[in-house]
Amino acid sequence: MDTTTTQPAPTSQLAQAGAREWLVFGLGREEYAIDIGLVQEIRSYGAVTRIANAPAFLKGFIHLRGSIVPLIDLRISLGQAEPAYDASTVVIILIFAQGATGIVVDRVADVVPLAPAQLKPPPQLRGSAMAGHVTAIGTLDERMLIVLDMDSLLAGMGMHAVGKLAA
């Protein structure tokens, strides 16, 4: 029986293979990945200024270093079970040309490099809230990561317009 273990490739080898880094976060039992280049910061979930008659997924706004940033709860926007906010709940602040937007997620797992060979085309998701927003399924050992196009997901919810008003 061969008991050798495979060591992860050094970062320089991954860069040569065209790997990009992805922030992995959890919603329920599923793991999602987004381009780390979009992430400004990760902060704990705290006080939010709520807006009357806003869609349920729009938790409200936070004040962040002189800017007003809208917060959306991805679990609600993707039609998953009602979220439970606890010590592991975090806000990921994303930066787009239109401004900053915060997404509320259950937990942040890690940052992982994925080479193009580790990204598989997503299944057809017609009629799903995820249709057009899942760009790939990333495979990392035994893990499957749902790779999201956050720009299209937020634009589909009308959040870029809100981000412009808040910036």
Side-chain angles (χ1 to χ4, degrees):
M1 173 183 344
D2 184 2
T3 58
T4 60
T5 58
T6 304
Q7 296 296 319
T11 304
S12 60
Q13 287 178 346
L14 290 169
Q16 289 173 356
R20 293 177 36 205
E21 289 193 317
W22 302 88
L23 177 69
V24 178
F25 62 87
L27 292 175
R29 298 172 78 184
E30 305 303 324
E31 286 190 302
Y32 295 83
I34 57 175
D35 185 340
I36 192 71
L38 295 175
V39 178
Q40 176 182 347
E41 68 182 86
I42 299 167
R43 28 183 320 122
S44 60
Y45 182 74
V48 176
T49 301
R50 299 200 187 279
I51 304 296
N53 298 319
F57 65 81
L58 179 58
K59 299 310 293 179
F61 295 90
I62 60 170
H63 187 258
L64 182 65
R65 290 184 294 285
S67 295
I68 304 302
V69 178
L71 290 186
I72 64 161
D73 189 306
L74 275 189
R75 184 179 278 219
I76 295 170
S77 67
L78 298 177
Q80 295 186 358
E82 189 65 29
Y85 303 105
D86 58 27
S88 65
T89 304
V90 295
V91 175
I92 303 170
I93 305 296
L94 304 174
I95 296 296
F96 299 96
Q98 299 88 347
T101 299
I103 58 172
V104 181
V105 300
D106 293 343
R107 67 196 169 284
V108 168
D110 50 8
V111 175
V112 298
L114 293 174
Q118 293 173 283
L119 298 171
K120 309 297 182 206
Q124 294 296 320
L125 299 171
R126 288 187 204 108
S128 164
M130 299 300 287
H133 307 305
V134 175
T135 60
I137 302 297
T139 57
L140 185 64
D141 299 322
E142 297 298 315
R143 294 166 73 184
M144 290 184 57
L145 309 173
I146 302 166
V147 179
L148 295 176
D149 177 346
M150 288 306 300
D151 196 40
S152 85
L153 182 62
L154 293 175
M157 290 187 272
M159 289 307 297
H160 284 322
V162 172
K164 268 187 189 172
L165 293 173

